Amino acid sequence: SRLWSAATRRRVSLTKLEDCRNGVLAKPLKRLGKRQPPLPTRLNPGENQRRRFQGLLRSLMKMEIIKLEPRHWNAVREIYEQGVLTGQATFETTAPSWEKWDAGHLPFARLLGISDGISGSIVKGWAALSPVSARAVYAGVAEVSVYVAEAWRGQGVGQALLKKLVAESEQNGIWTLQASIFPENEGSIALHKVCGFREVGRRERIG
């Protein structure tokens, strides 16, 4: 059986090490006392299943960043609500409607991180920019928003989205990006620093 063969391989390996230390050249299989069956040349069903599962994991880990569109709103809102529940992502207590969200964000650099799943695409996170002021002098300054689904936090999703967001902001004439982050949200602070942001101050009594 496969398990028996695997055990044989471990014993053979140990035997080879002993022979080398003692300076003896011997065929390990003879020392086992009986002829061993050859290792299987074709994958058994269990091995095929394991490889298919590994392929699925690689597919899940591979993320594509696409344009965030209205049809994605349900997934975007769900991830936003997960951020609200942490109490460290926003002062808001509920997710806005699509119309309100759309009006409050710049029309470019709206990003969605997705991967292929068993029953369709999996949305891992999103990123977008908001204007900081209606005054013309601030036309090139934008506020960063990056939200990652709870199940995919700490796996590089936010970093990929933020780096892409920075690149697209520069392509659209943005010269300064800012992010307002709660001090308790250490993960987000670390993420922004990795992507080139620096802390310039702390605001108090604003919420």
Side-chain angles (χ1 to χ4, degrees):
S1 69
R2 176 176 177 274
L3 290 176
W4 187 89
S5 299
T8 299
R9 289 198 294 274
R10 289 196 293 271
R11 291 175 63 188
V12 168
S13 178
L14 289 173
T15 303
K16 286 181 179 178
L17 289 173
E18 291 173 358
D19 289 342
C20 291
R21 284 197 296 269
N22 297 329
V24 179
L25 296 177
K27 293 183 179 181
L29 288 180
K30 288 186 177 180
R31 296 184 59 180
L32 295 177
K34 60 181 180 179
R35 185 186 178 92
Q36 307 295 338
L39 296 177
T41 56
R42 291 189 299 178
L43 297 176
N44 59 34
E47 183 68 11
N48 281 328
Q49 184 177 14
R50 182 182 69 83
R51 292 201 173 189
R52 285 197 298 269
F53 181 68
Q54 288 179 337
L56 174 61
L57 286 179
R58 286 193 293 269
S59 177
L60 290 174
M61 294 304 294
K62 183 179 180 181
M63 186 178 74
E64 179 184 5
I65 298 178
I66 63 174
K67 180 180 179 181
L68 191 161
E69 299 178 345
R71 60 191 176 93
H72 302 129
W73 176 242
N74 286 340
V76 170
R77 180 181 58 202
E78 181 178 352
I79 294 173
Y80 184 89
E81 289 173 342
Q82 291 175 4
V84 169
L85 290 176
T86 67
Q88 298 181 358
T90 176
F91 284 119
E92 301 294 337
T93 57
T94 59
S97 64
W98 162 255
E99 290 74 18
K100 184 177 180 179
W101 187 93
D102 182 42
H105 291 80
L106 296 174
F108 53 83
R110 297 180 173 189
L111 309 176
L112 193 76
I114 64 170
S115 294
D116 293 329
I118 297 176
S119 58
S121 296
I122 297 174
V123 178
K124 294 182 173 181
W126 59 269
L129 298 175
S130 305
V132 298
S133 174
R135 296 175 59 189
V137 69
Y138 291 107
V141 183
E143 177 88 14
V144 170
S145 291
V146 179
Y147 284 80
V148 178
E150 184 177 8
W152 296 99
R153 292 171 190 164
Q155 301 184 46
V157 174
Q159 185 173 150
L161 286 167
L162 185 52
K163 286 183 176 179
K164 181 69 172 176
L165 191 71
V166 171
E168 291 207 8
S169 71
E170 293 174 349
Q171 294 170 7
N172 286 274
I174 300 297
W175 58 75
T176 297
L177 291 175
Q178 67 180 43
S180 299
I181 307 172
F182 290 118
E184 297 84 3
N185 196 343
E186 296 178 354
S188 185
I189 293 173
L191 165 64
H192 284 76
K193 287 184 176 180
V194 166
C195 292
F197 287 70
R198 61 188 176 89
E199 186 174 330
V200 295
R202 298 195 173 210
R203 303 171 67 186
E204 299 178 352
R205 299 181 181 180
I206 59 173

